[in-house]
Amino acid sequence: AMGAVLSRMQKPLGGCVFLATAFDDRLFHAQDSASFSRSYSAKVGSVETLEALVDLGALDFVIGLSSATTWGNIGQTNYTRQVANTIMEGKLARYHNAFSIAAPAIFNTTSMTGTVTTSNAERASHLTTWALSPEELCNCLEDGILKLQDGPFGVYVPALDFDVITESLGPSHLYGHMTRGSQQQGAAVDGEDLHNVLQSLVLQVVDVAADDFSAEVPLTTYGLDSLTAGRLSSALRPWVTLSQMQLLGDMTFAEIEARVAKAQQPKHEEGAPGASNADVAAGAAELERMISKYSIGFDVNAKRPTGPLLPNSVILITGTTGGLGSYFLAQLLADSGVSRVYAFNRPSEKRTVLERQAAGFAARQLDVSLLSSKKLVFVEGDATASQLGLDKEMYETLRRSVTVIIHNAWRLDLNAPLKTFVPNIAGTRNLLDMARASPHADSIRFAFISTIGSTQNWRDLSQQVPEEIVQDASLAVLRGYGEGKYVAERIVAASGIQSSVFRVGQLSGASDTGAWSVTEWVPEIVKSSLKLGSLPDAGGMVSWLPMNKTAPVVLDAVFSPDSPPAVFNLVHPRPVTWHAMMSNLAKSLSAVQGRTFELVPFLDWLNELERLSATLSAEETQAIPALKLLDRLRIYAEACPPLSSDFTEPELRESGGWARLSLDKMLAFSPTLRAMREPEEMIGSEEQAATFVQYWRRQGLLTSA
Ligand SMILES: NC(=O)c1ccc[n+]([C@@H]2O[C@H](COP(=O)([O-])OP(=O)(O)OC[C@H]3O[C@@H](n4cnc5c(N)ncnc54)[C@H](OP(=O)(O)O)[C@@H]3O)[C@@H](O)[C@H]2O)c1
């Protein structure tokens, strides 16, 4: 029968998933040759049948659906341990392109719901506490197929909760080391008491009653946000160092307890030295897997097209409702060389896109009347969906007419883990697919707004980060935001169109109007300083680019008659010291507030902030927005060069430990950036600081101390 199926296939066989299964559960003494044979032929028989007909080793992938109950389950001697599944696993392990998956129970399958008798279902009910949905299983299959690219492996074990498995299958030496219980063994923890202390601390922070609280539910489900995570992080410090980002990464109370227990082990029992290197290596491997997944079908060796810039540009730009997007949109609408601008944004239930855009323009003192331009077409869609979530007609209009894509929309959350950026990465791929399917794919220009965070681990101070795709993913591993951008950079660069990545550095407020969003970290430091009466001082330079200058520099390159290169770095070409910038801000703030603001070393400033927060009510801490950034600011402050550094040109070091970036290509393509080397363009000059402070005053940032 299998031969007949194969002979009817129109296209060559690409891969195979062995799903066939037959249960005949009985206690061991009741098993007979028939019961063994039933399970055996469904599993091993299927593999042997196909092996006889096709060369399994020549397929793209081969997957055997094995079972997590190979670790032992009552009544399944025939099905699992040592027999059907185990033999199938062994057979497939011989192929470099094959793996078996130790699948737990799968919901909504006939073996779980349809064919089992009531008594069987009761017996199997303990398996459902750690079952996967079919969708989750498919994700594992996809992950396994991608993992094959790193080399063969025998069995894929999904990320399961082994404590629950222990409860349902009983303890086993096969997975005992994966349980939390094992991690806590030998920990020098004052058991019950410490548990109670930690739990009441967490309950207090998330403000939940003990009866409504589960140790296994992520704290974010109870409303943990960056502010409360900062408080929890410092409250936990006597026992364990857990950053805001870790706490916000779906951490549960049970995990916190496990970390505390681990932290209390004698030092020599901790992980081997270099464990953090292993974490970085694992993180880099994860990024590489994502890059492979989202560049499937791209030919990295394809020659980059060099078609000319097409006249009367038709622009598709994403994320125009945000800060940078507003400046892009204003400039594009005022540009006579641009014939149409499709402003692509996600819909909002609260306000129309025009209302949001107008508010964004007004907040930045941009000309709101530009929004009545006939050139402007708002498009609301979902970049992650097929055809960008648009109807066929609109998608086709974009595909056929657009000559320049500026992909600027991105979730701007520096604390969020990588997985939350997957929709942004998928959306990037969909936009690239549209560009590749354009009738003028050779000429279309694709600008991707990235960040210097994509090379956030660059620590070689003797070398500048080059304006090239950096092939070492470990340089991006640290925070989900930079990691996601790194993945997208690599995908954009592999897309085979005229794409340019713009690695944008920290942006400051606008140099002309002083518009600097009050929800950004520098204004939040200034706001928090009102309580402390001082501003933080640090060593190092700042190369922050004013928000209003970024779009013109990018557009210089996008509209260049010469084909732009694959990567640009974009920071201020005339850096200034943090100390000079903060001194100027302190001067302006003192003038506006009528009291003197001193500069104190950054770490002292943070310690004082933390000390103060412990004495305030939750409501009062709202006036100190820097508290929700404590973690990030501490990392930044610790990475700043010493304050006393005598900066000379070749030794210039960036504050916050950031690397210096090569700007040669960006300077060559942008007259705007070249002009910014003049002294009057310097960021944080006395005049500019006064403009920022005036803007914040008008926005009400400086009112309540
Ligand atoms: N600000 C900086 O210092 C800085 C530095 C380097 C690079 N960048 C990059 O510059 C670009 C613009 O940043 P910005 O400062 O203008 O940020 P922003 O003010 O937060 O604007 C972000 C834009 O992206 C949209 N967006 C956010 N999350 C999204 C999602 N999950 N799906 C679809 N759209 C989403 C927002 O739409 P809504 O209005 O609907 O939220 C908004 O239009 C981003 O790519 C950012 O990574 C910024």
Side-chain angles (χ1 to χ4, degrees):
M2 182 75 86
V5 169
L6 289 170
S7 66
R8 282 200 301 273
M9 283 174 64
Q10 309 279 324
K11 295 197 170 156
L13 185 63
C16 173
V17 185
F18 289 103
L19 288 167
T21 192
F23 291 104
D24 195 349
D25 293 5
R26 321 163 174 200
L27 291 181
F28 181 66
H29 62 78
Q31 298 276 4
D32 55 25
S33 57
S35 68
F36 271 89
S37 165
R38 241 174 298 225
S39 287
Y40 186 91
S41 50
K43 293 277 175 180
V44 187
S46 304
V47 176
E48 287 175 345
T49 305
L50 200 64
E51 257 177 338
L53 295 166
V54 295
D55 177 4
L56 287 188
L59 302 185
D60 289 345
F61 62 86
V62 179
I63 306 172
L65 249 284
S66 180
S67 170
T69 55
T70 46
W71 304 323
N73 192 28
I74 292 169
Q76 293 196 323
T77 324
N78 53 340
Y79 172 66
T80 57
R81 190 177 273 188
Q82 289 147 19
V83 193
N85 277 315
T86 310
I87 295 175
M88 179 184 73
E89 286 177 7
K91 276 187 170 290
L92 293 183
R94 292 177 312 192
Y95 294 98
H96 69 284
N97 56 341
F99 67 92
S100 300
I101 177 161
I106 311 295
F107 289 122
N108 301 331
T109 53
T110 44
S111 54
M112 284 304 292
T113 55
T115 58
V116 283
T117 63
T118 313
S119 61
N120 278 343
E122 272 163 19
R123 253 188 268 144
S125 65
H126 67 289
L127 301 177
T128 58
T129 53
W130 47 287
L132 292 183
S133 68
E135 291 77 19
E136 285 168 327
L137 180 76
C138 288
N139 286 340
C140 294
L141 298 188
E142 183 183 23
D143 191 37
I145 291 171
L146 292 168
K147 203 168 152 46
L148 277 177
Q149 295 178 12
D150 300 338
F153 58 94
V155 179
Y156 181 103
V157 180
L160 300 169
D161 185 335
F162 285 89
D163 286 284
V164 179
I165 294 174
T166 306
E167 278 165 25
S168 99
L169 296 185
S172 165
H173 67 278
L174 289 174
Y175 48 74
H177 61 290
M178 302 286 283
T179 60
R180 275 190 291 281
S182 73
Q183 289 165 23
Q184 286 171 357
Q185 271 165 24
V189 186
D190 193 5
E192 190 83 340
D193 279 354
L194 183 58
H195 169 83
N196 292 339
V197 169
L198 293 174
Q199 195 186 44
S200 68
L201 209 147
V202 170
L203 292 178
Q204 219 176 337
V205 171
V206 295
D207 197 17
V208 170
D211 287 351
D212 301 330
F213 184 72
S214 162
E216 306 293 340
V217 170
L219 298 178
T220 45
T221 313
Y222 296 113
L224 190 83
D225 57 15
S226 31
L227 186 64
T228 43
R231 294 176 80 189
L232 185 57
S233 168
S234 45
L236 289 170
R237 203 160 294 145
W239 296 281
V240 67
T241 305
L242 283 173
S243 68
Q244 273 169 302
M245 279 165 289
Q246 286 171 302
L247 290 167
L248 289 170
D250 289 347
M251 187 167 270
T252 63
F253 176 66
E255 283 161 350
I256 292 178
E257 276 202 296
R259 297 290 189 102
V260 169
K262 198 165 176 221
Q264 296 207 332
Q265 285 174 15
K267 283 281 174 266
H268 66 270
E269 286 182 20
E270 281 182 0
S276 61
N277 287 345
D279 286 349
V280 171
E286 175 62 20
L287 298 187
E288 290 293 349
R289 258 197 296 282
M290 263 196 200
I291 293 163
S292 305
K293 174 173 175 177
Y294 287 99
S295 24
I296 283 174
F298 288 176
D299 177 2
V300 279
N301 299 317
K303 200 166 170 295
R304 185 178 165 89
T306 52
L309 176 74
L310 297 174
N312 303 319
S313 301
V314 177
I315 315 281
L316 172 69
I317 171 164
T318 64
T320 60
T321 51
L324 199 47
S326 294
Y327 287 99
F328 270 121
L329 186 58
Q331 184 171 344
L332 290 167
L333 292 174
D335 186 335
S336 59
V338 170
S339 64
R340 174 131 302 187
V341 181
Y342 291 103
F344 184 96
N345 290 284
R346 57 180 173 177
S348 156
E349 283 175 3
K350 295 191 193 121
R351 289 185 297 169
T352 66
V353 66
L354 179 58
E355 283 166 349
R356 288 190 290 146
Q357 193 71 69
F361 265 44
R364 293 169 185 90
Q365 298 172 18
L366 293 166
D367 180 2
V368 181
S369 73
L370 284 169
L371 298 178
S372 332
S373 166
K374 290 204 166 48
K375 288 200 272 195
L376 174 60
V377 180
F378 282 112
V379 181
E380 289 181 78
D382 173 4
T384 65
S386 153
Q387 294 194 150
L388 310 177
L390 305 173
D391 61 40
K392 193 166 179 1
E393 197 184 340
M394 176 50 92
Y395 184 80
E396 279 303 300
T397 304
L398 296 180
R399 186 184 68 78
R400 280 199 306 268
S401 64
V402 165
T403 62
V404 172
I405 297 177
I406 301 170
H407 183 26
N408 164 74
W410 201 266
R411 174 185 163 90
L412 209 77
D413 184 345
L414 302 184
N415 287 332
L418 173 63
K419 64 181 177 197
T420 62
F421 295 96
V422 169
N424 297 128
I425 295 168
T428 307
R429 169 67 200 241
N430 286 344
L431 288 163
L432 290 167
D433 282 341
M434 191 182 80
R436 284 160 53 91
S438 158
H440 28 258
D442 277 357
S443 298
I444 199 163
R445 293 199 175 172
F446 190 104
F448 174 62
I449 309 302
S450 187
T451 162
I452 55 170
S454 66
T455 55
Q456 53 202 339
N457 286 339
W458 188 281
R459 289 289 175 266
D460 182 354
L461 297 174
S462 65
Q463 304 249 11
Q464 296 181 328
V465 178
E467 291 175 289
E468 283 163 19
I469 291 293
V470 178
Q471 293 297 337
D472 181 357
S474 68
L475 290 175
V477 175
L478 191 63
R479 292 165 196 275
Y481 173 69
E483 291 173 340
K485 287 281 192 180
Y486 176 80
V487 170
E489 281 187 14
R490 292 268 303 269
I491 296 164
V492 167
S495 64
I497 53 173
Q498 280 187 66
S499 63
S500 299
V501 164
F502 293 82
R503 257 187 229 126
V504 179
Q506 170 69 47
L507 300 182
S508 73
S511 54
D512 49 359
T513 60
W516 193 337
S517 169
V518 294
T519 55
E520 289 190 27
W521 67 284
V522 175
E524 289 188 336
I525 284 181
V526 171
K527 167 81 180 169
S528 308
S529 297
L530 300 184
K531 272 263 181 246
L532 292 183
S534 59
L535 281 159
D537 202 0
M541 313 297 290
V542 294
S543 305
W544 304 350
L545 198 72
M547 184 74 100
N548 57 322
K549 298 284 181 166
T550 313
V553 175
V554 171
L555 293 179
D556 280 347
V558 166
F559 293 131
S560 165
D562 300 325
S563 180
V567 182
F568 291 107
N569 290 330
L570 180 41
V571 291
H572 203 300
R574 191 180 179 100
V576 64
T577 62
W578 171 287
H579 178 78
M581 187 194 68
M582 270 301 159
S583 302
N584 287 333
L585 281 177
K587 203 167 170 186
S588 297
L589 202 56
S590 302
V592 168
Q593 293 285 305
R595 58 189 168 124
T596 307
F597 283 80
E598 304 287 348
L599 295 194
V600 300
F602 209 149
L603 283 171
D604 294 349
W605 188 86
L606 288 172
N607 290 340
E608 179 57 15
L609 199 66
E610 220 173 328
R611 196 196 56 72
L612 187 68
S613 76
T615 66
L616 300 174
S617 68
E619 205 175 308
E620 285 171 315
T621 57
Q622 298 299 326
I624 313 181
L627 278 177
K628 67 177 192 287
L629 306 171
L630 262 185
D631 216 37
R632 228 181 98 207
L633 293 178
R634 200 172 281 285
I635 293 171
Y636 190 98
E638 280 169 357
C640 285
L643 193 54
S644 57
S645 288
D646 176 19
F647 297 103
T648 49
E649 190 54 44
E651 291 152 5
L652 289 178
R653 283 177 60 195
E654 196 72 8
S655 65
W658 285 98
R660 303 298 310 280
L661 289 95
S662 164
L663 276 179
D664 296 346
K665 291 182 185 172
M666 195 73 263
L667 283 166
F669 271 78
S670 173
T672 312
L673 196 69
R674 290 200 291 275
M676 288 177 68
R677 290 181 294 196
E678 298 305 320
E680 61 273 18
E681 294 281 353
M682 201 170 75
I683 161 81
S685 63
E686 209 172 317
E687 196 189 4
Q688 246 181 45
T691 323
F692 295 144
V693 170
Q694 286 303 335
Y695 177 83
W696 294 325
R697 195 178 58 78
R698 287 196 299 279
Q699 298 292 310
L701 185 79
L702 309 181
T703 46
S704 63

